[in-house]
Amino acid sequence: MSFRIRPYHPSDLSTLYRICMQVGTNGKDASHLYRDPDILGHLFVGPYVVQEPDLAFVLTHAEKPCGYMIGTRDSKLFHERCERDWFPVLRERYPLSDYRAEAKSADGKMVSLIHRGHRVEEGLGAYPAHLHIDLLPLAQGQGWGQKLVQTFLSRLRLLKVPAVHLGVGKQNENAIGFYEHMGFHVIEEHRKSLVMGMILQQR
């Protein structure tokens, strides 16, 4: 059966959560690190597909999701919506007091991020959109990641979004090389990560 890219459908949500966990450690399976199998998805999948489903694309193989491309056209507005509509419920579900004794565990760190919330990176106002892509191993190395990114970028261009950014861990050398090949450049360098970006509309 062949691969294909299609728009996100709400019935994909739980599967995308699982994919997020299966590639959650620099592209490798993170399920052994977390007690809660949904906690990564709550941060890095759910708010995107719920708030901006028109920017969510799913890669399937034999009609089953094996990767996805998600993001937002306006990071500032996205973060404001998360604070209003997404994180309040999660903060009630995952009170910090319940994780105080395991604050340094994988789950504890994600709960801290839930309570901190998504933040707009300072100095990236010229790159308002941002994206996330995840592919299971069976879909890697065949050009489908590139096609997903191109699909997403085409949608941003249609929406007249001027530029896009993303974050990537320095240890994830394959991903860095992939984004450089796609035309992204380094905007900022942090201790453990890079912020990369691409201009979409010339002013």
Side-chain angles (χ1 to χ4, degrees):
M1 299 291 288
S2 61
F3 291 92
R4 74 180 181 102
I5 296 171
R6 62 165 171 78
Y8 166 79
H9 186 271
S11 63
D12 297 319
L13 183 62
S14 62
T15 304
L16 300 197
Y17 267 45
R18 291 198 297 273
I19 292 172
C20 182
M21 182 62 75
Q22 288 175 299
V23 295
T25 304
N26 288 320
K28 298 180 180 179
D29 191 354
S31 57
H32 64 289
L33 299 174
Y34 295 91
R35 287 188 293 105
D36 188 325
D38 293 330
I39 201 160
L40 284 184
H42 287 328
L43 273 162
F44 302 119
V45 176
Y48 294 92
V49 299
V50 169
Q51 296 189 74
E52 298 191 63
D54 65 316
L55 284 175
F57 302 94
V58 177
L59 177 66
T60 66
H61 181 256
E63 300 304 320
K64 295 181 180 179
C66 59
Y68 59 83
M69 174 89 254
I70 56 178
T72 177
R73 70 204 76 192
D74 186 327
S75 296
K76 184 175 184 295
L77 183 59
F78 170 76
H79 295 159
E80 290 172 354
R81 288 174 174 169
C82 282
E83 285 301 310
R84 185 185 68 220
D85 302 326
W86 187 257
F87 286 123
V89 174
L90 287 175
R91 287 165 184 161
E92 289 185 11
R93 178 174 173 182
Y94 297 94
L96 274 175
S97 57
D98 289 359
Y99 289 84
R100 201 160 285 147
E102 51 179 306
K104 294 184 179 181
S105 69
D107 289 78
K109 290 177 181 177
M110 289 304 108
V111 170
S112 293
L113 288 178
I114 286 171
H115 283 265
R116 188 188 74 172
H118 287 307
R119 295 181 179 178
V120 179
E121 294 277 355
E122 295 292 332
L124 293 178
Y127 298 82
H130 72 262
L131 60 83
H132 294 285
I133 181 173
D134 282 321
L135 296 177
L136 292 179
L138 71 90
Q140 296 173 9
Q142 302 174 65
W144 287 103
Q146 183 172 335
K147 291 177 182 177
L148 272 171
V149 174
Q150 289 171 338
T151 299
F152 184 85
L153 296 181
S154 294
R155 176 66 177 161
L156 290 184
R157 290 188 177 101
L158 187 65
L159 294 169
K160 307 299 183 184
V161 176
V164 61
H165 74 273
L166 58 92
V168 60
K170 286 183 176 179
Q171 293 182 341
N172 199 343
E173 295 179 358
N174 289 338
I176 293 171
F178 168 79
Y179 290 124
E180 288 177 338
H181 178 73
M182 291 291 300
F184 285 82
H185 59 275
V186 175
I187 304 170
E188 295 180 354
E189 182 172 352
H190 303 288
R191 187 168 63 90
K192 293 184 178 181
S193 65
L194 299 175
V195 179
M196 305 180 75
M198 178 187 289
I199 301 295
L200 302 174
Q201 309 280 348
Q202 295 299 327
R203 296 183 177 180

